[in-house]
Amino acid sequence: MAAATTLAAQRWPHLLNELTATVIGPNLARPETRTTARDVLAALLGPLTRKNCWTPAEHAGHPAPYRIQHLLNWARLDVTAVAACLRGYVIRCLGSDDVVLVADETGDAKKGAHTVGVARQYTGTSGKIDNCQVAVYLAYTTPDAHALIDRRLYLPRSWTKDSQRLRSAGVPADVGFSTKPELATQMIAAALEHAPGAWVAGDEVYGRDPDLRAYLEEHRTG
């Protein structure tokens, strides 16, 4: 066990380099920004008790958080393309046999009213209605491992009915209201193109949705 742990510790920096080069790197124009992206990932995987722009910067040996702030706030990144690259990377690493796609949402509590999608809504994170931002995620699971491969931000109707609020938050003009099962269906459809034999799992929010069930039955998905 100790030898296996030591081998894993030796390999993971190389795997992180591979992940950065194949998934994120092609979608960032400047090499300095690609290096910063690797530093952020390494910090997120590290044993930091708090993770904000300052702590990853200190973890990476940066004198200030400005490079990380630039990456998160101003660097141009096609997140849809990154998600597609990530999906392909995970499928290559974990394989396409005995796959279950798991849809579920999680919430992040927020204090103000300006974070995109924030509203008074239920979140399982606190187990109650709270001021929060909610997103739906899709996990790719095999008997040996699992990884998140896609995400969709949930926008309540209070947002999608307010064009000025959407514009101020930088939401694309063509984004409309979608239920959480509809967001899950979008992600499942993209994943099934690469893992057509996968099964799908989710809690009652998804299992009881007639449109999602009809989609899965139409595509002969368990």
Side-chain angles (χ1 to χ4, degrees):
M1 178 65 72
T5 302
T6 301
L7 180 61
Q10 293 172 347
R11 289 188 60 206
W12 89 264
H14 303 290
L15 295 174
L16 180 59
N17 288 336
E18 178 189 356
L19 177 66
T20 306
T22 59
V23 174
I24 299 175
N27 298 287
L28 286 169
R30 297 182 61 83
E32 299 90 346
T33 313
R34 292 195 290 270
T35 300
T36 303
R38 186 199 180 282
D39 292 341
V40 170
L41 286 176
L44 293 175
L45 293 169
L48 301 177
T49 55
R50 298 187 64 187
K51 296 176 181 179
N52 50 39
C53 285
W54 275 101
T55 52
E58 292 172 350
H59 183 273
H62 299 181
Y66 305 132
R67 288 170 56 184
I68 292 177
Q69 290 172 339
H70 173 81
L71 171 69
L72 299 179
N73 292 324
W74 298 290
R76 303 187 68 173
L77 179 67
D78 186 339
V79 293
T80 301
V82 171
C85 291
L86 175 64
R87 185 166 54 243
Y89 177 83
V90 169
I91 292 174
R92 286 197 308 273
C93 291
L94 302 187
S96 57
D97 296 327
D98 297 326
V99 174
V100 179
L101 304 172
V102 183
D104 201 1
E105 77 259 10
T106 189
D108 292 309
K110 301 293 181 180
K111 295 295 185 183
H114 299 293
T115 302
V116 61
V118 70
R120 293 282 300 173
Q121 54 191 322
Y122 177 81
T123 169
T125 306
S126 62
K128 62 181 181 180
I129 294 176
D130 209 342
N131 192 63
C132 64
Q133 180 188 58
V134 173
V136 182
Y137 294 88
L138 189 71
Y140 187 93
T141 72
T142 69
D144 297 321
H146 66 275
L148 296 176
I149 61 169
D150 212 342
R151 82 287 169 263
R152 294 288 190 280
L153 179 65
Y154 173 70
L155 292 176
R157 292 188 189 276
S158 59
W159 273 82
T160 57
K161 290 181 178 179
D162 189 339
S163 58
Q164 177 58 43
R165 194 179 190 188
L166 293 174
R167 190 161 49 249
S168 298
V171 178
D174 60 344
V175 174
F177 176 76
S178 296
T179 65
K180 294 168 188 174
E182 287 171 343
L183 297 176
T185 303
Q186 296 169 15
M187 296 186 289
I188 290 167
L192 288 177
E193 292 181 6
H194 304 279
W199 287 60
V200 172
D203 65 14
E204 67 274 12
V205 172
Y206 306 94
R208 291 179 180 175
D209 185 81
D211 293 332
L212 176 53
R213 293 180 66 89
Y215 173 85
L216 297 176
E217 290 173 5
E218 178 185 348
H219 289 78
R220 299 183 179 275
T221 301

